[in-house]
Amino acid sequence: MGYFKSTQDCQHYKPEWEAVVHQIASRPEYGPYELGRNPPSHHLEAKALYIFTVARRLICSAWRLCWANNNNWNLIFVETSTLLFPVLELIGEARKAPGTHQLGAGIRWLQSVNLLSSADPGSDRSLVTSLTRHMGKGAPEVRHLYFLRNYYLHGLKNVRTGSTKVTPREIADMANAELPRAIAQQAEIAMREYWKQLKQDDGTDQNNNWIERLAAADIHPFMIEGSGIFDAGLADPNIVDYLEDSNATVCS
C-alpha cells in the first residue's frame, strides 16, 4: 500500500525513481515510516516526496538566514529570493499542463492551490493575492514575480520580456522587501494543500489531474553519491510527517 489512490508510470526516469523507493524501504534512517505508516510503494510517490523535500529544505534555509540576521527579512532579500524562486519553478514543473510554463504554474500555485492557467506569466497582470495576508503592502502581480525570477537568473543585471527591457525603476518597484517572507509562509501552506490534492486524486476528475501532471513532469532524482542515505535520490525520512502534521515547522 502507498499514499496515492491513482498511480501512473513516470514518463521520465522511472527506473531511477524506483531506486528511490527501494532506498526508502531499506534504510534504517527512514524509521518514521515504520511507526504506524507504510513507506511509499510506487515510484511516483517517491518523486513527490523528493519535490516536497527540496521545497521544504529551501524554505527552511531562507528562515535560517532570517534568524541569523535578527529576524530581519529586509537585510536578506537577495539571499532568500535566490532560495525561494527555485521552489516555485520545481513545483510548477510538477503541476503544469503540457506545453505551458513551469514558472508560471508555480506562481499560480502560490496564488491558489486550485488555480490552473495557460496564460503567459510575463503578461499576466493578475494579483497573487494569497501573499497579501503576509505583507503590509498590496500583492504583486504574476508577471512581477516572473520578472524578478528572471532578474536573479541573469545575475541581477537585466531582464527582458520579449524584446522590451524591464527598467531598473520597474525592478525596484517589484522587489518589495516583504516578498521573501510572504513567499516562504504561503509556500509552506500551499505545500500541505498540494500533498492533499495528490492523495485525493483518484483519476476521475480530468480538470484537476494532479497525478497525471506529476507523472509527466521532467524531474530527475537528485542523487548524492557517498552520502550513505541519499545515493539513489534525495527524500527526507520525515517529509511525510511534516506534510501531515499541521503543527510541524518547516525546519523541525
Side-chain angles (χ1 to χ4, degrees), residues 228-244:
I229 180 171
F230 300 128
D231 296 77
L234 179 63
D236 281 342
N238 65 345
I239 187 62
V240 174
D241 291 324
Y242 161 73
L243 291 168
E244 298 192 347

Side-chain angles (χ1 to χ4, degrees), residues 73-107:
W73 285 90
N74 295 339
L75 298 177
I76 50 174
F77 183 90
V78 172
E79 301 93 318
T80 50
S81 296
T82 302
L83 291 165
L84 295 170
F85 281 117
V87 172
L88 303 184
E89 188 145 359
L90 176 62
I91 294 184
E93 173 64 27
R95 290 171 59 89
K96 72 183 183 70
T100 59
H101 199 286
Q102 66 268 19
L103 178 59
I107 296 172

